[in-house]
């Protein structure tokens, strides 16, 4: 999985790949201030033939929670059999996160360190991941970076300075799902970002290059990637790991409908499993809506399963693996345990789970 992540990073750095992805991205993605995106997330299903990449996310949530969870559980999970790499990641997590934010800061031409960082999301206290925001705040403040948690409506951009609550904001850890910063109450952040007045990570360009669902069409086309200059080894990793993906088009409606049981449909700008459909469960009415929207169709890869005990009863749950990465390097691995057609946190006995290498 780490090698697949590094191959994705190599593909995304190719000039033809950038040109193609930016061709369907919003205009704001053309601005390149330098940062490459904090907390990239790559989600995999485990199969008998190896891992399969299901999705790439630019603001992957859960890393801080999973670090706490893994530390709480690692003593009970047969410690003598654990590979040292698992504990190495946990021991070095805070240092790696701090280095990541410093690098993002420096990639935009800043020196020293940011004095004040804002974790920004819409109505953050109502967000499912709000406890993680607090963990991130505590960690960053313990290392000398004043950190606030804000709704974007609290930001003001005047005379070239982004402020909140009357004080300057140097850096934004962006957890918004408005990836192009188009909403009216995101206007101050958008203007400050485009004026290079604040460092934003992850930013709209990173989302366009890495996480737009249409990019999976390119990543599943190993022949084209080879023609664009990706080396044989990296192209081979992607060829094996990335399910065939195509853009949904009304012209292909008949073929898509007849093959729907082997497909999974996702909105190109979707997030959090919203608006996704497993083909075999599609009704004609929903399929017609998909044809009118911006969707991709990805070859369906069943999730792996794990056996667990819930309230004394042995049962099975689906599981996927998320790698949190920066610049292609692993920060942490975690699992998500769930039931249903898409990942969710409502399943009894489900949610995040630590991953231990043995």
């Amino acid at each position: 999985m780490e090698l697949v992540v590094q191959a994705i990073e190599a593909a995304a750095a190719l000039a033809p790949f950038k040109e193609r992805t930016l061709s369907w991205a919003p205009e704001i993605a053309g601005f390149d201030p330098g940062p490459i995106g904090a907390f990239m997330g790559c989600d995999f299903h485990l199969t008998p033939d190896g891992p399969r990449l299901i999705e790439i996310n630019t603001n992957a949530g859960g890393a801080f929670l999973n670090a706490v969870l893994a530390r709480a559980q690692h003593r009970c999970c047969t410690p003598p059999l654990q590979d040292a790499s698992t504990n190495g990641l946990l021991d070095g997590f805070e240092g790696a996160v701090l280095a990541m934010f410093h690098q993002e800061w420096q990639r935009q031409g800043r020196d020293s360190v940011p004095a004040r960082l804002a974790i920004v999301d819409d109505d953050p206290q109502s967000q499912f991941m709000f406890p993680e925001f607090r963990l991130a705040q505590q960690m960053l403040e313990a290392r000398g970076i004043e950190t606030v948690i804000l709704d974007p409506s609290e930001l003001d951009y005047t005379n070239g300075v982004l402020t909140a609550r009357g004080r300057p904001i140097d850096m934004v850890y962006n957890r918004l799902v408005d990836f192009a910063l188009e909403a009216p109450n995101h206007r101050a952040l958008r203007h400050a970002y485009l004026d290079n007045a604040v460092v934003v990570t992850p930013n709209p360009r990173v989302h366009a290059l890495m996480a737009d669902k249409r990019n999976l069409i390119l990543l599943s086309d190993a022949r084209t990637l080879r023609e664009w200059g990706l080396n044989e080894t990296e192209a081979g990793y992607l060829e094996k790991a990335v399910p065939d993906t195509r853009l949904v088009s009304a012209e292909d409606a008949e073929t898509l409908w007849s093959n729907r049981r082997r497909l999974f449909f996702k909105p190109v700008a979707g997030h959090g499993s919203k608006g996704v459909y497993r083909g075999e469960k599609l009704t004609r009415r929903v399929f017609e809506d998909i044809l009118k929207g911006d969707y991709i169709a990805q070859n369906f890869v069943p999730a792996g399963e794990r056996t667990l005990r819930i309230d004394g009863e042995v049962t099975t749950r689906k599981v996927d693996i998320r790698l949190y990465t920066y610049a292609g390097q692993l920060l942490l691995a975690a699992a998500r345990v769930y039931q249903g057609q898409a990942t969710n946190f409502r399943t009894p006995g489900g949610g995040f789970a630590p991953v231990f290498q043995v």
Side-chain angles (χ1 to χ4, degrees):
M1 286 186 282
E2 289 181 71
L3 292 169
V4 172
V5 168
Q6 291 162 16
I8 292 167
E9 295 275 354
L14 298 172
F17 188 98
K18 290 181 180 179
E19 181 180 357
R20 183 67 60 84
T21 55
L22 292 175
S23 71
W24 53 54
E27 182 179 357
I28 194 173
F31 174 59
D32 182 10
I36 60 173
F39 285 117
M40 291 297 303
C42 288
D43 299 338
F44 293 86
H45 285 178
L46 303 183
T47 78
D49 298 319
R52 296 290 183 269
L53 177 76
I54 301 304
E55 193 159 283
I56 304 172
N57 302 282
T58 46
N59 56 358
F64 292 92
L65 289 169
N66 277 300
V68 173
L69 177 63
R71 285 174 178 149
Q73 296 194 7
H74 83 278
R75 287 185 178 87
C76 70
C77 298
T78 321
L81 298 182
Q82 291 175 27
D83 188 281
S85 59
T86 299
N87 291 333
L89 287 174
L90 291 175
D91 292 341
F93 178 74
E94 282 83 1
V97 169
L98 190 65
M100 173 182 67
F101 281 113
H102 281 171
Q103 289 182 47
E104 289 292 88
W105 176 254
Q106 293 163 1
R107 286 177 187 274
Q108 199 159 323
R110 286 8 185 216
D111 55 18
S112 187
V113 296
R116 196 162 186 248
L117 180 147
I119 302 170
V120 175
D121 202 352
D122 290 314
D123 192 10
Q125 293 194 29
S126 72
Q127 297 293 336
F128 185 76
M129 289 293 179
F130 181 69
E132 176 179 54
F133 299 169
R134 295 296 300 273
L135 289 171
Q137 180 185 42
Q138 292 167 15
M139 192 215 83
L140 291 167
E141 289 196 330
R143 284 152 183 82
I145 300 176
E146 183 183 352
T147 303
V148 292
I149 303 170
L150 298 174
D151 182 278
S153 64
E154 298 180 76
L155 297 170
D156 180 72
Y157 183 54
T158 305
N159 298 325
V161 179
L162 185 70
T163 62
R165 302 168 187 170
R167 301 185 61 194
I169 299 294
D170 302 310
M171 188 174 192
V172 167
Y173 173 28
N174 176 24
R175 295 295 294 260
L176 296 166
V177 294
D178 173 17
F179 302 114
L181 305 178
E182 293 174 326
N185 66 329
H186 301 164
R187 187 177 296 112
L189 179 58
R190 177 187 178 94
H191 288 170
Y193 167 70
L194 289 173
D195 285 350
N196 195 29
V198 65
V199 175
V200 177
T201 181
N203 62 43
R205 183 178 179 88
V206 173
H207 180 269
L209 293 177
M210 302 296 294
D212 187 301
K213 301 294 189 296
R214 288 168 289 198
N215 298 4
L216 294 168
I217 300 168
L218 305 179
L219 293 172
S220 69
D221 185 356
R223 185 182 69 176
T224 297
L225 292 175
R226 291 184 179 99
E227 292 173 354
W228 287 349
L230 191 65
N231 70 46
E232 183 60 37
T233 300
E234 291 166 332
Y237 287 132
L238 295 180
E239 188 170 35
K240 186 173 182 180
V242 185
D244 185 60
T245 307
R246 70 221 75 173
L247 189 66
V248 170
S249 164
E251 288 76 17
D252 298 326
E254 185 176 340
T255 300
L256 290 169
W257 179 254
S258 63
N259 293 323
R260 68 189 184 282
R261 296 181 184 280
R262 298 193 294 271
L263 299 173
F264 206 87
F265 295 86
K266 300 179 180 180
V268 300
H271 60 88
S273 298
K274 295 179 180 178
V276 302
Y277 299 97
R278 183 173 172 181
E280 72 170 10
K281 298 182 181 297
L282 275 184
T283 64
R284 264 291 186 181
R285 183 190 62 78
V286 172
F287 182 67
E288 292 299 326
D289 290 340
I290 288 173
L291 293 176
K292 296 173 186 175
D294 292 325
Y295 268 77
I296 60 162
Q298 186 180 58
N299 278 7
F300 176 66
V301 178
E305 292 187 337
R306 292 298 294 264
T307 300
L308 63 160
R309 189 185 303 274
I310 302 174
D311 295 332
E313 182 178 344
V314 175
T315 186
T316 59
R317 290 288 186 265
K318 296 177 181 177
V319 64
D320 67 12
I321 303 296
R322 169 170 287 181
L323 300 192
Y324 298 94
T325 68
Y326 179 68
Q329 300 304 305
L330 183 64
L331 298 170
L332 195 70
R336 296 182 297 178
V337 181
Y338 65 100
Q339 213 174 18
Q341 72 168 352
T343 310
N344 68 81
F345 290 95
R346 297 180 300 276
T347 299
F352 284 127
V355 170
F356 298 102
Q357 297 183 52
V358 296

